[in-house]
């Protein structure tokens, strides 16, 4: 059997990256390692979802007024537990919690990072065995190290992220994370329980053949979005013919596919919900950061997602993200709306 000597684990990769920064403390690497650990625990439960009595609603309603699935609760608890017991996170905010959680123990208050996450994205797909995910963004706190974090630490523009990533629980389980230096994807090798570098230096193609949107809401979209969708559908044969429409309803899976193959994902505002559905802090900002580092673009239709200054933890915004040339085309339609 030949041995692939280039295979690198997540830990090896982050340690190697540290060597380029002699003054780095390793705190971010440690935080990523903790996130990887929480994700492995969630993965075990996700894989068992069809077997154990974990399907169905937990009976409560989250702060967004949506039904909470049991696995959402489990994933949320895992993340908090792992990050709280670690030494590299001063506090968290989660889609599933009304308010942020400050970690008040002596080690945590001396951490410089806060983490914001959607513990389980696409949870409506759990019952039908379609890919789901976890999304996270990491920020350097703005309050002094050694104190307890405050809301200010969480209400930062997405451009302030130092790292962001997602886990997709799909046909295989992948962790993709970005720092300003690049985007790298790791596939979980279940035989050894290690994240293994499988997609080094991911770049989003400038253009792709896929557009992803919930067509059911078409007549509620603004004119510019409708015109862009119609342009996707009627692209002339000389330019490759109509684009393909792909939308599974788990943003993690939809954006992951488009990041690799090239494409555009849209969750526009609608006449009944002008802000759309997706949450700026937990869903849009991490993906805006990842795709931007990979060479793509992300906007709310007016400005770069990463430049939006959040006013509240759970605010929503329209979201358009994907291949740069496709985003440019979309923006032309929106401008002429
Ligand atoms: P969540 O499961 O965290 O609530 O997020 C689901 C989101 C997103 O992943 C997906 O793209 C979108 O909801 C689907 O919504 P529609 O059914 O309205 O298209
Ligand atoms: Mn979500
Ligand atoms: Mn969720």
């Amino acid at each position: 059997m030949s041995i692939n000597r280039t295979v690198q684990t997540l830990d090896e990769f982050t340690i190697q990256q540290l060597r380029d920064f002699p003054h780095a403390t390793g705190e971010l690497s440690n935080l990523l390692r903790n996130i990887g650990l929480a994700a492995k625990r969630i993965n075990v439960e996700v894989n068992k979802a069809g077997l154990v009595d974990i399907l169905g609603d937990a009976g409560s309603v989250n702060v967004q007024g949506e039904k909470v699935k049991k696995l959402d609760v489990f994933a949320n608890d895992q993340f908090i537990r792992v990050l709280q017991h670690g030494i590299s996170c001063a506090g968290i905010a989660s889609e599933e919690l009304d308010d942020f959680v400050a970690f008040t123990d002596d080690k945590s208050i001396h951490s410089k990072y806060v983490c914001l996450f959607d513990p389980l994205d696409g949870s409506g797909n759990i019952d039908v065995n379609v890919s789901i995910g976890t999304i996270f963004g990491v920020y350097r706190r703005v309050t002094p190290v050694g104190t307890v974090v405050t809301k200010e630490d969480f209400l930062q523009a997405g451009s302030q992220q130092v790292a962001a990533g997602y886990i997709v629980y799909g046909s295989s389980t992948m962790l993709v994370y970005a720092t300003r230096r690049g985007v790298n994807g790791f596939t979980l090798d279940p035989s050894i329980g290690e994240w293994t570098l499988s997609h080094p230096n991911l770049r989003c193609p400038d253009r792709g053949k896929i557009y992803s949107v919930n067509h059911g809401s078409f007549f509620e979209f603004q004119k510019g979005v409708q015109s862009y969708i119609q342009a996707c559908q009627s692209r002339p044969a000389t330019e490759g013919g109509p684009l393909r429409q792909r939308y599974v309803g788990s943003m993690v899976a939809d954006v992951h596919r488009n990041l690799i193959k090239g494409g555009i994902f849209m969750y526009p505002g609608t006449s009944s919900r002008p802000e759309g559905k997706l949450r700026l802090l937990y869903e849009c900002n991490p993906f805006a950061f990842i795709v931007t580092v990979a060479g793509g673009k992300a906007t709310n239709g007016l400005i770069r997602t990463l430049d939006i200054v959040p006013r509240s933890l759970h605010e929503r915004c329209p979201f358009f993200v994907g291949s740069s040339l496709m985003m440019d085309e979309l923006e032309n339609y929106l401008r002429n709306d």
Side-chain angles (χ1 to χ4, degrees):
M1 192 180 89
S2 70
I3 295 172
N4 183 351
R5 293 188 186 282
T6 63
V7 161
Q8 251 187 338
T9 66
L10 177 63
D11 288 347
E12 286 171 338
F13 181 82
T14 52
I15 289 167
Q16 194 183 58
Q17 299 256 304
L18 269 181
R19 292 201 179 130
D20 296 342
F21 291 100
H23 301 297
T25 58
E27 202 177 324
L28 183 61
S29 310
N30 196 48
L31 180 56
L32 288 166
R33 181 198 176 93
N34 288 340
I35 290 170
L37 173 63
K40 281 194 248 182
R41 295 213 170 117
I42 296 166
N43 184 55
V44 170
E45 292 307 305
V46 167
N47 288 164
K48 286 195 296 200
L51 292 173
V52 291
D53 184 27
I54 204 161
L55 288 171
D57 305 334
S60 52
V61 166
N62 75 8
V63 68
Q64 328 285 345
E66 296 155 349
K67 275 186 179 174
V68 177
K69 302 281 181 181
K70 280 183 186 171
L71 219 42
D72 292 84
V73 178
F74 176 85
N76 190 49
D77 292 350
Q78 275 309 316
F79 250 81
I80 296 173
R81 198 167 298 168
V82 170
L83 296 184
Q84 188 156 24
H85 287 170
I87 53 168
S88 308
C89 185
I92 61 95
S94 161
E95 181 194 82
E96 296 298 335
L97 300 175
D98 292 354
D99 210 350
F100 67 91
V101 179
F103 299 152
T104 52
D105 60 282
D106 196 47
K107 285 198 181 98
S108 298
I109 63 169
H110 285 97
S111 307
K112 51 176 185 276
Y113 297 114
V114 293
C115 185
L116 287 76
F117 51 84
D118 175 357
L120 213 60
D121 175 69
S123 47
N125 277 328
I126 297 168
D127 295 5
V128 288
N129 208 354
V130 169
S131 297
I132 52 180
T134 296
I135 311 168
F136 62 90
V138 178
Y139 296 76
R140 192 168 283 120
R141 58 187 294 180
V142 290
T143 53
V145 167
T147 62
V148 174
V149 291
T150 68
K151 196 179 259 183
E152 227 191 310
D153 294 310
F154 298 92
L155 294 182
Q156 300 189 53
S159 56
Q160 299 303 311
Q161 286 170 107
V162 292
Y166 62 87
I167 295 97
V168 55
Y169 311 98
S171 44
S172 59
T173 302
M174 266 189 83
L175 184 155
V176 175
Y177 87 87
T179 62
R180 278 170 217 284
R181 302 176 76 192
V183 186
N184 290 281
F186 300 80
T187 300
L188 184 62
D189 180 343
S191 60
I192 53 169
E194 286 278 7
W195 298 108
T196 307
L197 182 62
S198 53
H199 295 64
N201 196 23
L202 270 170
R203 302 293 302 165
C204 182
D206 287 346
R207 193 181 275 294
K209 296 195 179 81
I210 295 169
Y211 74 103
S212 307
V213 69
N214 184 344
H215 262 286
S217 303
F218 181 86
F219 293 107
E220 286 201 66
F221 297 151
Q222 67 186 90
K223 203 88 216 96
V225 175
Q226 291 181 343
S227 307
Y228 176 71
I229 292 173
Q230 281 164 339
C232 293
Q233 294 168 329
S234 54
R235 194 173 64 155
T238 48
E239 291 172 31
L243 299 190
R244 293 175 189 137
Q245 201 276 345
R246 297 282 185 273
Y247 188 78
V248 303
S250 294
M251 177 166 69
V252 169
D254 280 316
V255 180
H256 175 67
R257 178 200 52 237
N258 293 2
L259 172 66
I260 290 177
K261 294 195 169 187
I264 188 166
F265 172 93
M266 299 178 272
Y267 204 110
T270 59
S271 40
S272 53
R273 290 170 101 179
E275 300 307 315
K277 174 184 184 186
L278 301 175
R279 297 82 171 171
L280 173 62
L281 297 186
Y282 315 112
E283 295 173 313
C284 306
N285 270 340
F287 274 117
F289 184 84
I290 297 160
V291 172
T292 302
V293 172
K297 293 185 177 174
T299 75
N300 67 353
L302 294 170
I303 60 167
R304 261 175 24 119
T305 306
L306 294 175
D307 293 335
I308 302 172
V309 179
R311 284 154 303 167
S312 68
L313 287 176
H314 293 287
E315 78 184 61
R316 299 171 195 261
C317 64
F319 192 45
F320 305 91
V321 61
S323 295
S324 58
L325 296 178
M326 298 172 85
M327 288 291 295
D328 291 346
E329 267 164 37
L330 168 72
E331 273 167 13
N332 271 332
Y333 281 93
L334 296 180
R335 258 195 298 275
N336 298 325
D337 194 353

